[in-house]
Amino acid sequence: MSTFAVGDEDFLLDGRPVRLLSGALHYFRVHEDQWGHRLGMLRAMGLNCVETYVPWNLHEPEPGRFGDVGALGRFLDAVAAAGMWAIVRPGPYICAEWENGGLPHWLTGRLGRRVRTDDAEFLAPVERWFRALLPQVVERQIDRGGPVIMVQVENEYGSYGSDQGYLRKVADLLVDCGVGVPLFTSDGPEDHMLTGGSVPGVLATANFGSGAREAFAVLRRHQSSGPLMCMEFWCGWFDHWGTEHSVRDAADAAAALREILECGASVNVYMAHGGTNFAGWAGANRAGELHEGGLRPTVTSYDYDAPVDEAGLPTEKYWLFREVLAEFAEGPLPEVPEPPRRIAAPAEGVLAEWAPLDAVLDVLGGRETRTPLPPSFEEADVDRGLVRYRLEIPGPRRPYPLSVTGLRDRAVVYVDGVRAEVLTAEDTVLAEPVAGPAVVELWVESLGRVNYGPRQAEPKGITGGVRHERQYVHGVRARGLRLDAFEAGAVAKVPFRPVAGESGPGLHRAVVDVPGPGDAALSLPGCTRGFVWVNGFCLGRYWSVGPQDSLFVPGAVLREGGNEVWVLELEGGAGSVRLG
């Protein structure tokens, strides 16, 4: 068995200095059938190590109920089979542009800003989670013959808080759960971030996209010895809905990578391969320097302008990075794997059947509640999806403005069954006043919980109330529709009917005949915003505002012959489905 340690100047493998040439690849953003190919692409680029986060909310959807924590172990086995080492970042918070930064909605909804602090009501669920998860890591540590060489304590904590007692308890808990490989922290190369996020006796690393010499100089002011490492070398960036696609010049990124390595440092390329935010797990940010402005929801693609693109193909950045890494790698690089198989020919289908949202909710929705004020998504136990709020305006009364306070994030409003308009957090008053009596329905959608900054842990839904003029309208019936309710057996009970003329918001269905399955891009001409499934696999959110105009479909999801596609359209009507 081997040993891995943090030396005075270098990382030490069996006592010998070693440089980590790592790349980020998140197992939960790549279909399991494609892990081997993506790892092979990273190994051929010149990397000897892989880093992954672990999203708590994906694996513990409700308190004490764990789902497929073994996925991490299977991924680590695939890393070992690829001949690479592994760095694991289990959180409990991960950021990662992931829904709620990986924290479960059922926990942030109850605790709010008390999360990520030395609070017993937060640390108790953290311990339960770690004790369920970490055996997957511990039994695969390098001193037990596995690939795991380091484990992170929390994540960029200095960008959020300064509770040193909390950080120490997370570090101690990792050790108590059996983690014996070196621990580390990672933060921005700023004095306040490093003082807030570092733990005495634990290796500190830095996250940045350029300016390695200056960044490492700041790190050295806080840590006079130990190996230098850029734990997140941001070689690209992520996209938000309604903005331009983010691109970083490949030559500029390669020069920044070279600067890191010429400093004698180790590196983790973030992202080496970004993958996809399947199943609506994309997070959101807040605009502004201090991240307190308007919501900026992240798109479904996590391509990140990475060296290996979302479909697993090498980019110009890949080849330039490979040239740089070859100079610092030990021995010749492996051959680049063949590209994954693509769909044999373009295919198209018509969304010929549909069921309106009310009918879908009747079959797949949760229990309806009646409360004086509208419950939040967290109170309605909805992590991803939407909630229908129904209330009655008393009457008779003359028309007054109808407004929503604390709307997060988007509401399609109906008055007496007729669609009125779409409200947002910035536009919260209906253009046309409403007279009473009237029945008002608001179908509210979360566009992704904040994953970074001081607004993390804020609730979703209608977090204030609905007002008619200045008066709150009380007596709200609410019913949630979770994305995870869309399973084949349940959807089969939805009363679909043929689309006759124009349809509206609801669940649409098509069958697309595929002559030869393989990776594909799915587009939805004529559709506006919602979610899409292929053969029961949720690809994620689509939205006509761009910049993403198609969704990645892993070849393993498709089958030869008929493929059933469900489209949950939230604003418009039926369109068509194209695979290419």
Side-chain angles (χ1 to χ4, degrees), residues 313-364:
L313 303 177
T315 64
E316 178 189 6
K317 196 173 290 182
Y318 181 92
W319 299 113
L320 292 180
F321 278 22
R322 193 172 192 260
E323 290 179 13
V324 173
L325 292 165
E327 299 178 29
F328 297 88
E330 293 185 1
L333 302 186
E335 292 295 320
V336 177
E338 291 294 318
R341 185 172 66 171
R342 295 289 297 183
I343 189 172
E348 187 168 354
V350 177
L351 292 164
E353 297 178 298
W354 81 297
L357 282 177
D358 280 333
V360 178
L361 186 66
D362 285 344
V363 176
L364 303 180

Side-chain angles (χ1 to χ4, degrees), residues 76-125:
L76 295 174
D77 292 341
V79 171
M84 305 175 79
W85 299 311
I87 296 170
V88 180
R89 304 167 81 182
Y93 162 79
I94 64 171
C95 182
E97 291 71 60
W98 188 259
E99 162 86 6
N100 220 19
L103 298 178
H105 75 286
W106 48 262
L107 188 57
T108 58
R110 180 166 60 88
L111 298 183
R113 292 191 303 275
R114 292 164 60 193
V115 299
R116 303 183 73 191
T117 66
D118 188 1
D119 186 304
E121 289 191 57
F122 177 63
L123 288 171

Side-chain angles (χ1 to χ4, degrees), residues 488-511:
V491 171
K493 301 176 184 177
V494 172
F496 287 100
R497 62 192 190 218
V499 172
E502 292 187 4
S503 63
L507 187 63
H508 300 72
R509 183 166 63 181
V511 175

